[in-house]
Amino acid sequence: IVADEPVSALDVSIQAQMINLLEQLQNDFKLTYLFIAHDLGVVRHVSDRIAVMYLGKLVELSPAEELYTRPIMPYTEALLSAVPIPDPDLSEQRQRIVLEGDVPSPISPPSGCRFHPRCRYATEVCSRVEPPLADYGNGHLAACHHPLNVDEETLRRVQAAPETPRDADESALPTDTSGESHPVPEESTP
């Protein structure tokens, strides 16, 4: 079942009832949902796997909990930093990542990595070469020349995923992280 923003315009208490109903139907009828939403708190609650898209391209696909604790794509990192945390003390400790610049036109996307004009880690290669969707193990795929939260050993084993689009350059797998890893602290995840 495709559920496109099924709870976005609902009051929080009604959202909870709707999500409970979806879970009950899923269990009773062995359903699979393609749950499309912008509310990452709801997405975390209902999803086993999460795909993140930017300007129509898949940029990260991961088991849900791993995505929230170890985002690899900088866009995912920025999205997660914007999720509200109900605890005011934890919320104050978290660093919010504010993306600079305007969202490029999806009709005429930038060359290379579509996210590079707004990425704080972008280098020259990002503007020239589209990164392939790389397999970082455990079902975690990401398309980035400068992946986050990846150790050197994992980086050496990275391969282009079969899901890599034909127009992505499979020869452009990341070879270094070009900077330090930026793990999401466990206590600050939503």
Side-chain angles (χ1 to χ4, degrees):
I1 293 178
V2 177
D4 189 358
E5 297 284 356
V7 297
S8 66
L10 302 176
D11 177 78
V12 175
S13 62
I14 303 298
Q15 277 185 2
Q17 291 176 22
M18 179 61 92
I19 290 169
N20 290 338
L21 175 61
L22 289 170
E23 286 180 353
Q24 181 183 348
L25 291 171
Q26 184 177 34
N27 292 333
D28 291 350
F29 297 105
K30 309 279 189 252
L31 299 174
T32 298
Y33 295 120
L34 176 58
F35 194 92
I36 303 165
H38 288 87
D39 183 336
L40 294 179
V42 171
V43 169
R44 183 178 195 174
H45 182 75
V46 302
S47 302
D48 297 320
R49 293 180 52 75
I50 298 173
V52 177
M53 296 182 74
Y54 186 77
L55 292 179
K57 285 277 188 175
L58 180 65
V59 295
E60 191 156 2
L61 174 66
S62 172
E65 281 307 308
E66 183 164 340
L67 184 90
Y68 281 85
T69 58
R70 192 176 75 98
I72 292 176
M73 173 65 178
Y75 178 60
T76 306
E77 175 191 46
L79 286 176
L80 292 175
S81 81
V83 175
I85 298 175
D87 183 329
D89 294 330
L90 290 177
S91 186
E92 277 183 22
Q93 295 172 13
R94 183 174 61 178
Q95 177 193 8
R96 171 89 193 269
I97 299 168
V98 178
L99 298 176
E100 301 292 327
D102 295 325
V103 177
S105 168
I107 295 171
S108 179
S111 62
C113 174
R114 291 179 178 208
F115 185 59
H116 87 268
R118 304 184 76 204
C119 182
R120 63 188 184 158
Y121 307 109
T123 60
E124 191 267 334
V125 69
C126 302
S127 64
R128 287 187 302 102
V129 180
E130 180 178 355
L133 197 57
D135 186 347
Y136 289 90
N138 300 325
H140 198 153
L141 310 176
C144 184
H145 292 294
H146 308 296
L148 308 174
N149 302 307
V150 178
D151 60 43
E152 292 298 322
E153 179 61 31
T154 301
L155 202 55
R156 280 192 286 277
R157 292 191 315 260
V158 168
Q159 296 179 359
E163 298 86 352
T164 297
R166 286 189 186 128
D167 56 343
D169 188 340
E170 291 186 35
S171 67
L173 288 168
T175 55
D176 67 56
T177 57
S178 294
E180 63 185 83
S181 180
H182 298 282
V184 177
E186 190 68 33
E187 66 276 356
S188 71
T189 56

